[in-house]
């Protein structure tokens, strides 16, 4: 299974496979053609409340990850996780985020969940 995380602003690569935008909002200043996004399942993104809470700066990444995993366990999100996992079993999947720190973002949490 191949799941990786990249910034959506990076140039698409052939080895990206299926490119999945996992941000709730479309990245600023990026055209849809340049992004080359194959899927945009908004049901996999952190809730607005969780995202705002984390970006206030007082939350630890570990607590954010725990809360986001709990959101992903909800039936609708869990179904989307399963679909994405199946896709990753068939070929490479690249989770795309506009986050400046992809390794400390919801995309990294989702990638870990998919691979685990």
């Amino acid at each position: 299974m191949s799941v990786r995380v990249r910034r959506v602003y990076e140039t698409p690569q052939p080895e990206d496979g299926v490119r999945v935008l996992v941000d709730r909002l479309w990245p600023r200043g990026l055209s849809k053609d340049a992004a080359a996004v194959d899927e945009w399942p908004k049901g996999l993104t952190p809730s607005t409340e969780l995202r705002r809470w984390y970006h206030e700066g007082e939350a630890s990444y570990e607590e954010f990850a725990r809360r986001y995993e709990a959101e992903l366990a909800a039936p609708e999100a869990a179904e989307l996780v399963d679909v994405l996992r199946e896709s990753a079993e068939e070929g490479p999947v690249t989770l795309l985020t506009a986050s400046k720190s992809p390794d400390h973002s919801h995309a990294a949490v989702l990638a870990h969940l998919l691979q685990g």
Side-chain angles (χ1 to χ4, degrees):
M1 174 180 301
S2 174
V3 177
R4 69 182 186 161
V5 176
R6 295 185 68 212
R7 291 197 73 218
V8 70
Y9 297 106
E10 294 175 28
T11 303
Q13 301 295 317
E15 61 270 14
D16 287 347
V18 178
R19 293 172 52 87
V20 182
L21 180 62
V22 293
D23 290 350
R24 186 169 298 271
L25 304 174
W26 188 262
R28 288 184 184 187
L30 189 64
S31 72
K32 293 191 180 191
D33 286 339
V37 169
D38 297 308
E39 298 177 21
W40 189 15
K42 293 181 185 178
L44 285 178
T45 64
S47 66
T48 300
E49 295 80 16
L50 180 59
R51 184 174 47 83
R52 286 182 180 158
W53 172 80
Y54 183 53
H55 290 293
E56 286 175 359
E58 296 180 23
S60 71
Y61 176 72
E62 292 75 20
E63 180 62 17
F64 167 76
R66 188 188 67 71
R67 291 182 184 196
Y68 180 45
E69 286 179 4
E71 287 187 355
L72 291 172
E76 181 182 324
E79 186 176 322
L80 291 170
V81 168
D82 289 342
V83 168
L84 195 52
R85 186 176 290 121
E86 289 172 12
S87 183
E89 289 172 355
E90 295 173 9
V93 169
T94 299
L95 304 179
L96 303 169
T97 181
S99 174
K100 292 180 183 177
S101 300
D103 293 337
H104 287 89
S105 71
H106 63 287
V109 174
L110 181 56
H112 179 75
L113 184 66
L114 290 170
Q115 294 170 338

